[in-house]
mmCIF file of all heavy atoms in Angstrom:
data_model
loop_
_atom_site.group_PDB
_atom_site.id
_atom_site.type_symbol
_atom_site.label_atom_id
_atom_site.label_comp_id
_atom_site.label_asym_id
_atom_site.label_seq_id
_atom_site.Cartn_x
_atom_site.Cartn_y
_atom_site.Cartn_z
ATOM 1 N N VAL A 1 118.353 77.072 78.031
ATOM 2 C CA VAL A 1 118.392 75.937 78.879
ATOM 3 C C VAL A 1 119.750 75.319 79.001
ATOM 4 O O VAL A 1 120.318 75.014 77.996
ATOM 5 C CB VAL A 1 117.316 74.857 78.450
ATOM 6 C CG1 VAL A 1 117.401 73.589 79.330
ATOM 7 C CG2 VAL A 1 115.943 75.406 78.350
ATOM 8 N N VAL A 2 120.281 75.188 80.239
ATOM 9 C CA VAL A 2 121.678 74.681 80.334
ATOM 10 C C VAL A 2 121.664 73.247 80.988
ATOM 11 O O VAL A 2 122.652 72.602 81.029
ATOM 12 C CB VAL A 2 122.569 75.680 81.228
ATOM 13 C CG1 VAL A 2 122.782 76.946 80.431
ATOM 14 C CG2 VAL A 2 121.977 75.853 82.613
ATOM 15 N N GLY A 3 120.524 72.867 81.553
ATOM 16 C CA GLY A 3 120.503 71.544 82.190
ATOM 17 C C GLY A 3 119.105 71.057 82.494
ATOM 18 O O GLY A 3 118.104 71.851 82.478
ATOM 19 N N ILE A 4 118.966 69.721 82.738
ATOM 20 C CA ILE A 4 117.726 69.101 83.245
ATOM 21 C C ILE A 4 118.016 68.385 84.490
ATOM 22 O O ILE A 4 119.016 67.581 84.557
ATOM 23 C CB ILE A 4 117.236 68.085 82.138
ATOM 24 C CG1 ILE A 4 117.093 68.779 80.756
ATOM 25 C CG2 ILE A 4 115.887 67.496 82.551
ATOM 26 C CD1 ILE A 4 116.094 69.831 80.682
ATOM 27 N N MET A 5 117.246 68.592 85.463
ATOM 28 C CA MET A 5 117.397 67.924 86.804
ATOM 29 C C MET A 5 116.818 66.439 86.775
ATOM 30 O O MET A 5 115.981 66.266 85.987
ATOM 31 C CB MET A 5 116.747 68.611 87.834
ATOM 32 C CG MET A 5 117.103 70.121 88.058
ATOM 33 S SD MET A 5 118.892 70.381 88.361
ATOM 34 C CE MET A 5 119.083 69.703 90.080
ATOM 35 N N ALA A 6 117.401 65.657 87.590
ATOM 36 C CA ALA A 6 116.966 64.256 87.667
ATOM 37 C C ALA A 6 115.565 64.273 88.321
ATOM 38 O O ALA A 6 115.257 65.149 89.083
ATOM 39 C CB ALA A 6 117.982 63.421 88.468
ATOM 40 N N THR A 7 114.805 63.162 88.025
ATOM 41 C CA THR A 7 113.427 63.078 88.543
ATOM 42 C C THR A 7 113.457 62.693 90.042
ATOM 43 O O THR A 7 114.198 61.839 90.375
ATOM 44 C CB THR A 7 112.674 61.999 87.731
ATOM 45 O OG1 THR A 7 112.604 62.481 86.355
ATOM 46 C CG2 THR A 7 111.182 61.958 88.217
ATOM 47 N N LYS A 8 112.673 63.412 90.791
ATOM 48 C CA LYS A 8 112.501 63.020 92.236
ATOM 49 C C LYS A 8 111.174 62.540 92.563
ATOM 50 O O LYS A 8 111.054 61.792 93.589
ATOM 51 C CB LYS A 8 112.874 64.328 93.054
ATOM 52 C CG LYS A 8 114.325 64.538 93.316
ATOM 53 C CD LYS A 8 114.616 65.241 94.586
ATOM 54 C CE LYS A 8 116.086 65.276 94.935
ATOM 55 N NZ LYS A 8 116.304 65.943 96.243
ATOM 56 N N GLY A 9 110.154 62.942 91.877
ATOM 57 C CA GLY A 9 108.791 62.481 92.249
ATOM 58 C C GLY A 9 108.106 63.318 93.173
ATOM 59 O O GLY A 9 108.102 64.566 93.059
ATOM 60 N N ALA A 10 107.336 62.748 94.124
ATOM 61 C CA ALA A 10 106.466 63.483 95.066
ATOM 62 C C ALA A 10 107.137 63.838 96.245
ATOM 63 O O ALA A 10 108.053 63.106 96.707
ATOM 64 C CB ALA A 10 105.131 62.718 95.325
ATOM 65 N N GLY A 11 106.802 65.028 96.946
ATOM 66 C CA GLY A 11 107.331 65.346 98.139
ATOM 67 C C GLY A 11 106.564 64.862 99.297
ATOM 68 O O GLY A 11 105.731 64.012 99.210
ATOM 69 N N VAL A 12 106.930 65.380 100.591
ATOM 70 C CA VAL A 12 106.316 64.806 101.765
ATOM 71 C C VAL A 12 104.813 65.067 101.812
ATOM 72 O O VAL A 12 103.972 64.210 102.165
ATOM 73 C CB VAL A 12 106.951 65.587 102.928
ATOM 74 C CG1 VAL A 12 106.243 65.244 104.243
ATOM 75 C CG2 VAL A 12 108.394 65.253 103.096
ATOM 76 N N ASN A 13 104.398 66.242 101.151
ATOM 77 C CA ASN A 13 102.965 66.564 101.133
ATOM 78 C C ASN A 13 102.258 66.060 99.824
ATOM 79 O O ASN A 13 101.110 66.357 99.557
ATOM 80 C CB ASN A 13 102.745 68.035 101.287
ATOM 81 C CG ASN A 13 103.170 68.524 102.657
ATOM 82 O OD1 ASN A 13 102.858 67.910 103.621
ATOM 83 N ND2 ASN A 13 103.797 69.665 102.655
ATOM 84 N N GLY A 14 103.004 65.275 98.977
ATOM 85 C CA GLY A 14 102.426 64.829 97.802
ATOM 86 C C GLY A 14 102.548 65.685 96.530
ATOM 87 O O GLY A 14 102.110 65.312 95.494
ATOM 88 N N GLU A 15 103.271 66.808 96.667
ATOM 89 C CA GLU A 15 103.455 67.788 95.572
ATOM 90 C C GLU A 15 104.462 67.277 94.648
ATOM 91 O O GLU A 15 105.367 66.455 95.040
ATOM 92 C CB GLU A 15 103.823 69.150 96.137
ATOM 93 C CG GLU A 15 105.266 69.210 96.697
ATOM 94 C CD GLU A 15 105.499 68.856 98.042
ATOM 95 O OE1 GLU A 15 104.522 68.159 98.657
ATOM 96 O OE2 GLU A 15 106.508 69.118 98.730
ATOM 97 N N ASP A 16 104.377 67.764 93.412
ATOM 98 C CA ASP A 16 105.310 67.326 92.369
ATOM 99 C C ASP A 16 106.618 68.123 92.497
ATOM 100 O O ASP A 16 106.683 69.281 92.320
ATOM 101 C CB ASP A 16 104.725 67.622 91.008
ATOM 102 C CG ASP A 16 105.653 67.079 89.884
ATOM 103 O OD1 ASP A 16 106.759 66.551 90.176
ATOM 104 O OD2 ASP A 16 105.260 67.243 88.673
ATOM 105 N N LEU A 17 107.734 67.424 92.999
ATOM 106 C CA LEU A 17 108.995 68.076 93.210
ATOM 107 C C LEU A 17 109.672 68.502 91.891
ATOM 108 O O LEU A 17 110.598 69.287 91.923
ATOM 109 C CB LEU A 17 109.917 67.254 94.024
ATOM 110 C CG LEU A 17 109.499 66.916 95.421
ATOM 111 C CD1 LEU A 17 110.489 65.924 96.061
ATOM 112 C CD2 LEU A 17 109.361 68.154 96.237
ATOM 113 N N ASP A 18 109.274 67.924 90.800
ATOM 114 C CA ASP A 18 109.955 68.168 89.529
ATOM 115 C C ASP A 18 109.386 69.257 88.661
ATOM 116 O O ASP A 18 109.709 69.475 87.594
ATOM 117 C CB ASP A 18 109.998 66.826 88.750
ATOM 118 C CG ASP A 18 110.578 65.742 89.470
ATOM 119 O OD1 ASP A 18 111.774 65.899 89.889
ATOM 120 O OD2 ASP A 18 109.989 64.733 89.672
ATOM 121 N N ASP A 19 108.332 69.955 89.233
ATOM 122 C CA ASP A 19 107.604 70.956 88.488
ATOM 123 C C ASP A 19 108.181 72.365 88.865
ATOM 124 O O ASP A 19 107.641 73.087 89.640
ATOM 125 C CB ASP A 19 106.146 70.914 88.774
ATOM 126 C CG ASP A 19 105.319 71.863 87.911
ATOM 127 O OD1 ASP A 19 105.834 72.412 87.011
ATOM 128 O OD2 ASP A 19 104.087 71.981 88.252
ATOM 129 N N PHE A 20 109.344 72.707 88.300
ATOM 130 C CA PHE A 20 109.948 73.980 88.558
ATOM 131 C C PHE A 20 111.014 74.388 87.504
ATOM 132 O O PHE A 20 111.328 73.429 86.679
ATOM 133 C CB PHE A 20 110.694 73.949 90.021
ATOM 134 C CG PHE A 20 111.945 72.923 89.954
ATOM 135 C CD1 PHE A 20 113.135 73.390 89.646
ATOM 136 C CD2 PHE A 20 111.787 71.614 90.162
ATOM 137 C CE1 PHE A 20 114.283 72.611 89.691
ATOM 138 C CE2 PHE A 20 112.783 70.793 90.080
ATOM 139 C CZ PHE A 20 114.105 71.300 89.951
ATOM 140 N N VAL A 21 111.438 75.568 87.532
ATOM 141 C CA VAL A 21 112.496 76.044 86.644
ATOM 142 C C VAL A 21 113.519 76.789 87.543
ATOM 143 O O VAL A 21 113.097 77.685 88.288
ATOM 144 C CB VAL A 21 112.046 76.976 85.531
ATOM 145 C CG1 VAL A 21 113.162 77.533 84.757
ATOM 146 C CG2 VAL A 21 111.155 76.222 84.576
ATOM 147 N N VAL A 22 114.742 76.443 87.541
ATOM 148 C CA VAL A 22 115.734 77.125 88.296
ATOM 149 C C VAL A 22 116.447 78.135 87.477
ATOM 150 O O VAL A 22 116.905 77.808 86.262
ATOM 151 C CB VAL A 22 116.844 76.118 88.831
ATOM 152 C CG1 VAL A 22 117.978 76.803 89.413
ATOM 153 C CG2 VAL A 22 116.125 75.285 89.957
ATOM 154 N N ILE A 23 116.609 79.334 88.016
ATOM 155 C CA ILE A 23 117.400 80.395 87.345
ATOM 156 C C ILE A 23 118.266 81.067 88.405
ATOM 157 O O ILE A 23 118.066 80.749 89.589
ATOM 158 C CB ILE A 23 116.450 81.427 86.720
ATOM 159 C CG1 ILE A 23 115.705 82.188 87.681
ATOM 160 C CG2 ILE A 23 115.536 80.848 85.643
ATOM 161 C CD1 ILE A 23 114.845 83.345 87.192
ATOM 162 N N PRO A 24 119.285 81.788 88.010
ATOM 163 C CA PRO A 24 120.150 82.523 89.057
ATOM 164 C C PRO A 24 119.275 83.442 89.895
ATOM 165 O O PRO A 24 118.389 84.123 89.400
ATOM 166 C CB PRO A 24 121.216 83.277 88.162
ATOM 167 C CG PRO A 24 121.255 82.484 86.918
ATOM 168 C CD PRO A 24 119.848 82.042 86.679
ATOM 169 N N TRP A 25 119.547 83.464 91.184
ATOM 170 C CA TRP A 25 118.806 84.341 92.035
ATOM 171 C C TRP A 25 119.037 85.802 91.718
ATOM 172 O O TRP A 25 118.055 86.626 91.895
ATOM 173 C CB TRP A 25 119.010 83.977 93.564
ATOM 174 C CG TRP A 25 120.381 84.572 93.986
ATOM 175 C CD1 TRP A 25 121.594 83.878 94.021
ATOM 176 C CD2 TRP A 25 120.686 85.882 94.583
ATOM 177 N NE1 TRP A 25 122.651 84.632 94.519
ATOM 178 C CE2 TRP A 25 121.997 85.871 94.838
ATOM 179 C CE3 TRP A 25 119.927 86.939 94.833
ATOM 180 C CZ2 TRP A 25 122.719 86.975 95.415
ATOM 181 C CZ3 TRP A 25 120.501 88.044 95.374
ATOM 182 C CH2 TRP A 25 121.893 88.130 95.694
ATOM 183 N N THR A 26 120.130 86.111 91.299
ATOM 184 C CA THR A 26 120.406 87.510 90.836
ATOM 185 C C THR A 26 119.534 87.915 89.653
ATOM 186 O O THR A 26 119.024 89.034 89.571
ATOM 187 C CB THR A 26 121.795 87.716 90.523
ATOM 188 O OG1 THR A 26 122.244 86.697 89.571
ATOM 189 C CG2 THR A 26 122.731 87.686 91.765
ATOM 190 N N THR A 27 119.325 86.983 88.740
ATOM 191 C CA THR A 27 118.468 87.249 87.519
ATOM 192 C C THR A 27 116.973 87.389 88.019
ATOM 193 O O THR A 27 116.371 88.275 87.428
ATOM 194 C CB THR A 27 118.627 86.064 86.568
ATOM 195 O OG1 THR A 27 119.962 85.847 86.252
ATOM 196 C CG2 THR A 27 117.853 86.365 85.299
ATOM 197 N N ALA A 28 116.538 86.485 88.872
ATOM 198 C CA ALA A 28 115.180 86.585 89.338
ATOM 199 C C ALA A 28 114.977 87.897 90.102
ATOM 200 O O ALA A 28 113.870 88.595 89.943
ATOM 201 C CB ALA A 28 114.845 85.453 90.216
ATOM 202 N N GLN A 29 115.840 88.269 90.875
ATOM 203 C CA GLN A 29 115.762 89.467 91.719
ATOM 204 C C GLN A 29 115.788 90.771 90.944
ATOM 205 O O GLN A 29 114.965 91.636 91.096
ATOM 206 C CB GLN A 29 116.771 89.488 92.868
ATOM 207 C CG GLN A 29 116.665 90.599 93.835
ATOM 208 C CD GLN A 29 117.891 90.690 94.728
ATOM 209 O OE1 GLN A 29 119.033 90.891 94.280
ATOM 210 N NE2 GLN A 29 117.734 90.627 96.014
ATOM 211 N N ARG A 30 116.770 90.902 90.091
ATOM 212 C CA ARG A 30 116.969 92.203 89.462
ATOM 213 C C ARG A 30 116.201 92.309 88.073
ATOM 214 O O ARG A 30 115.802 93.426 87.771
ATOM 215 C CB ARG A 30 118.553 92.302 89.047
ATOM 216 C CG ARG A 30 119.451 92.285 90.310
ATOM 217 C CD ARG A 30 120.838 92.109 89.895
ATOM 218 N NE ARG A 30 121.634 91.801 91.134
ATOM 219 C CZ ARG A 30 123.010 91.560 90.982
ATOM 220 N NH1 ARG A 30 123.617 91.454 89.755
ATOM 221 N NH2 ARG A 30 123.682 91.305 92.061
#
């Protein structure tokens, strides 16, 4: 873990925008 994103809350459709993990796209793809 290299970072924590700031809290955003709910999106336009009410979904939780903060429920995710970001990784490099190359790592995810390969």
Side-chain angles (χ1 to χ4, degrees):
V1 178
V2 296
I4 307 294
M5 303 302 291
T7 301
K8 277 206 172 186
V12 174
N13 294 318
E15 71 278 15
D16 184 0
L17 294 178
D18 303 304
D19 187 8
F20 69 95
V21 173
V22 167
I23 64 175
W25 73 269
T26 49
T27 308
Q29 184 190 58
R30 300 169 192 172

